[in-house]
């Protein structure tokens, strides 16, 4: 850990100047107290840096939470081992997964499945009089988005741990409805700051103050979107389990399940004060708390346990963190580069995924070494099947 200044602490040994400058701008906001914690996987984001942990006693910057509200990971340890998987047709499994879970941006369910129906009902009850507002925000019914993956760095994987046990692992968030909610409140915050003549170092650092109607509505919508994201991952995991059941000819025995956000805000108590803690690309790492840190699509991912580091506000990184922007990665790398990185992994060989090639990300081993005082590694996972949306 390095203390950059009184308001910025960094755990990142790989940190480019533009990312550091962005983090310093966010940390300079007067209501960021006592300091911003920058995670090992930090990289440029919109407004606030991805990999930021931001305590704010009485205000929230919606863009510092991110537009994929509640994005995170879910992992399930099965009773199967690599021996059980030997000889199984992993290409067939990948195709089944690609049919059972809608992939890619804007691709949603044609109907609400039996497993999704009770989850949708729960969300409808929680939303109450906000449902009409949510319907207006999106052109596609939000309830059809539950159980869909999306694109970018979202993925579904079958993996093996260091004991050759099979884990099911996936990454997604609140989909189009979460993005629409976030975008709406970012604009509200920007309009409010402009009307109040607030000078900002970056318009995406616009904020809402606690005690205002705008703040209360944001928190309400934020909490709903975070729950949507969690249930979205649960729904996809149910479908993934069914596909593995079908492949194995026997039911998956669930031995452990972890579901955690890495783009979220909640009220917490740190360093003697109550704050709104926004984790934009970071997971909660209280002492003993299980968590999930994925690498890129061809490298290791980790099941971890928090160490409760106080200066990090009990947080840790959420992944590898980008080195190359998406367009730059697609210009720099080739399908042959992808083939070399994905040896031994069943995946969809497509130029659409070149922006997700492992070389576009920081070395996950360096990230985990930087996080040594934040989390302890419990399990190391390596992919045997990878599914992504373009």
């Amino acid at each position: 850990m390095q203390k950059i200044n009184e308001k910025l602490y960094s755990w990142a040994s790989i940190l480019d100047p533009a990312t550091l400058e962005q983090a310093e701008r966010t940390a300079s906001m007067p209501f960021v107290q006592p300091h911003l914690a920058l995670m090992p996987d930090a990289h440029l984001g919109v407004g606030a840096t991805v990999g930021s942990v931001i305590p704010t006693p009485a205000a929230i910057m919606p863009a510092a939470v991110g537009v994929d509200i509640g994005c995170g990971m879910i992992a399930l340890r099965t009773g199967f081992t690599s021996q059980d998987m030997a000889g199984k047709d992993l290409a067939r499994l990948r195709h089944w997964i690609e049919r059972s879970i809608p992939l890619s941006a804007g691709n949603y369910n044609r109907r609400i499945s039996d497993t999704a129906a009770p989850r949708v009902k729960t969300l409808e009850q929680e939303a109450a009089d906000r449902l009409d507002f949510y319907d207006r925000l999106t052109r596609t019914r939000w309830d059809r988005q539950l159980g869909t993956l999306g694109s970018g760095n979202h993925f579904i994987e079958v993996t093996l741990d260091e004991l050759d046990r099979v884990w099911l692992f996936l990454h997604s968030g609140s989909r189009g409805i979460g993005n629409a909610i976030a975008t709406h409140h970012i604009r509200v915050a920007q309009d409010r700051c402009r009307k109040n003549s607030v000078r900002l170092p970056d318009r995406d650092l616009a904020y809402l103050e606690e005690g205002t109607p705008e703040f209360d509505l944001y928190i309400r919508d934020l909490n709903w979107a975070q729950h949507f994201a969690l249930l979205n991952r649960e729904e996809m995991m149910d479908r993934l389990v069914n596909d593995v059941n079908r492949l194995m000819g026997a039911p998956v025995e669930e031995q452990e399940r972890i579901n955690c956000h890495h783009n979220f805000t909640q009220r917490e108590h740190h360093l003697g004060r109550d704050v709104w803690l926004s984790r934009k690309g970071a997971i909660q790492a209280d002492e003993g708390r299980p968590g999930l840190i994925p690498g890129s699509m061809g490298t290791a991912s980790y099941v971890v346990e928090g160490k409760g580091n106080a200066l990090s506000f009990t947080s840790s990184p959420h992944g590898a963190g980008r080195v190359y922007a998406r367009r730059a990665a697609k210009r720099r790398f080739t399908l042959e580069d992808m083939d070399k990185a994905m040896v031994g992994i069943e995946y969809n060989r497509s130029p659409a995924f070149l922006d997700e090639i492992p070389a576009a990300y920081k070395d996950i081993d360096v990230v985990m070494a930087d996080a040594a005082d934040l989390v302890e590694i419990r399990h190391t996972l390596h992919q045997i099947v990878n599914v992504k949306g373009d």
Side-chain angles (χ1 to χ4, degrees):
M1 187 274 292
Q2 180 184 7
K3 183 178 179 180
I4 305 296
N5 56 50
E6 291 298 326
K7 294 198 67 178
L8 181 60
Y9 289 67
S10 173
W11 278 259
S13 64
I14 305 172
L15 189 62
D16 65 87
T19 300
L20 176 59
E21 182 181 350
Q22 184 181 58
E24 288 176 325
R25 280 198 301 272
T26 306
S28 72
M29 298 296 286
F31 49 80
V32 175
Q33 296 290 339
H35 63 264
L36 184 152
L38 201 58
M39 296 291 98
D41 54 340
H43 62 92
L44 279 174
V46 176
T49 306
V50 178
S52 293
V53 183
I54 310 170
T56 50
I60 294 178
M61 298 172 284
V65 180
V67 293
D68 194 354
I69 297 172
C71 187
M73 309 293 307
I74 184 171
L76 185 154
R77 178 162 63 87
T78 76
F80 296 126
T81 67
S82 60
Q83 283 189 324
D84 299 317
M85 300 290 286
K88 300 297 183 182
D89 190 340
L90 298 184
R92 177 176 292 183
L93 174 61
R94 177 173 65 82
H95 290 306
W96 287 343
I97 296 168
E98 291 169 346
R99 287 196 295 269
S100 63
I101 299 174
L103 313 174
S104 305
N107 191 15
Y108 303 132
N109 297 293
R110 295 181 180 177
R111 66 178 184 85
I112 299 173
S113 68
D114 291 342
T115 52
R119 294 178 169 118
V120 168
K121 184 176 181 180
T122 295
L123 290 166
E124 287 175 339
Q125 292 170 339
E126 291 175 356
D129 59 341
R130 297 294 282 173
L131 284 178
D132 288 343
F133 171 65
Y134 297 158
D135 288 339
R136 290 196 302 271
L137 282 179
T138 59
R139 296 179 180 178
T140 303
R141 289 173 49 180
W142 64 264
D143 54 0
R144 299 291 177 90
Q145 299 176 24
L146 190 79
T148 67
L149 183 71
S151 60
N153 60 357
H154 295 168
F155 63 78
I156 302 165
E157 291 180 338
V158 180
T159 67
L160 300 175
D161 69 11
E162 67 284 350
L163 298 177
D164 281 339
R165 297 175 299 188
V166 176
W167 289 72
L168 310 181
F169 201 68
L170 66 86
H171 171 206
S172 191
S174 53
R175 305 296 288 109
I177 181 60
N179 185 297
I181 287 171
T183 300
H184 167 79
H185 288 288
I186 289 169
R187 290 173 180 162
V188 169
Q190 290 171 341
D191 290 344
R192 185 173 175 81
C193 285
R194 184 174 60 252
K195 289 176 182 177
N196 292 333
S197 300
V198 176
R199 298 184 66 180
L200 298 166
D202 183 328
R203 68 190 302 266
D204 285 313
L205 295 178
Y207 57 90
L208 300 170
E209 295 176 294
E210 191 170 12
T212 63
E214 293 86 352
F215 182 95
D216 292 342
L217 281 175
Y218 176 59
I219 292 299
R220 182 174 180 181
D221 292 341
L222 176 84
N223 287 334
W224 184 86
Q226 288 174 177
H227 195 199
F228 180 104
L230 185 142
L231 293 179
N232 184 41
R233 292 190 292 271
E234 296 281 0
E235 173 65 19
M236 285 187 284
M237 183 58 75
D238 283 351
R239 299 183 194 183
L240 177 57
V241 164
N242 286 337
D243 289 331
V244 175
N245 288 345
R246 184 179 175 190
L247 178 77
M248 303 302 293
V252 168
E253 178 187 340
E254 181 175 329
Q255 298 192 345
E256 183 176 3
R257 181 184 290 234
I258 303 166
N259 194 348
C260 64
H261 296 321
H262 54 228
N263 281 5
F264 68 112
T265 290
Q266 61 187 13
R267 198 69 168 163
E268 296 183 19
H269 187 83
H270 292 281
L271 301 177
R273 69 180 76 185
D274 291 328
V275 296
W276 290 99
L277 195 70
S278 298
R279 294 182 176 92
K280 182 177 182 176
I283 65 171
Q284 193 168 354
D286 303 338
E287 186 173 2
R289 178 185 288 271
L292 302 168
I293 302 177
S296 56
M297 63 187 289
T299 62
S301 295
Y302 298 89
V303 179
V304 299
E305 186 174 289
K307 290 187 175 181
N309 185 293
L311 286 176
S312 75
F313 308 105
T314 62
S315 304
S316 85
H318 80 310
R322 297 196 72 88
V323 174
Y324 290 94
R326 295 192 179 280
R327 289 182 181 177
K330 286 190 174 183
R331 289 194 301 267
R332 182 178 180 88
F333 301 110
T334 66
L335 273 175
E336 288 69 28
D337 296 326
M338 180 77 83
D339 290 338
K340 293 175 183 177
M342 298 295 287
V343 170
I345 302 171
E346 171 59 39
Y347 79 109
N348 181 2
R349 186 180 186 271
S350 167
F353 304 130
L354 284 176
D355 56 344
E356 287 295 305
I357 192 170
Y361 285 83
K362 295 182 180 181
D363 185 333
I364 190 63
D365 292 331
V366 174
V367 170
M368 296 309 297
D370 288 348
D373 63 339
L374 306 178
V375 290
E376 179 179 352
I377 297 173
R378 285 178 47 204
H379 303 294
T380 302
L381 310 180
H382 291 279
Q383 305 96 328
I384 57 175
V385 177
N386 172 273
V387 175
K388 296 185 70 68
D390 56 24

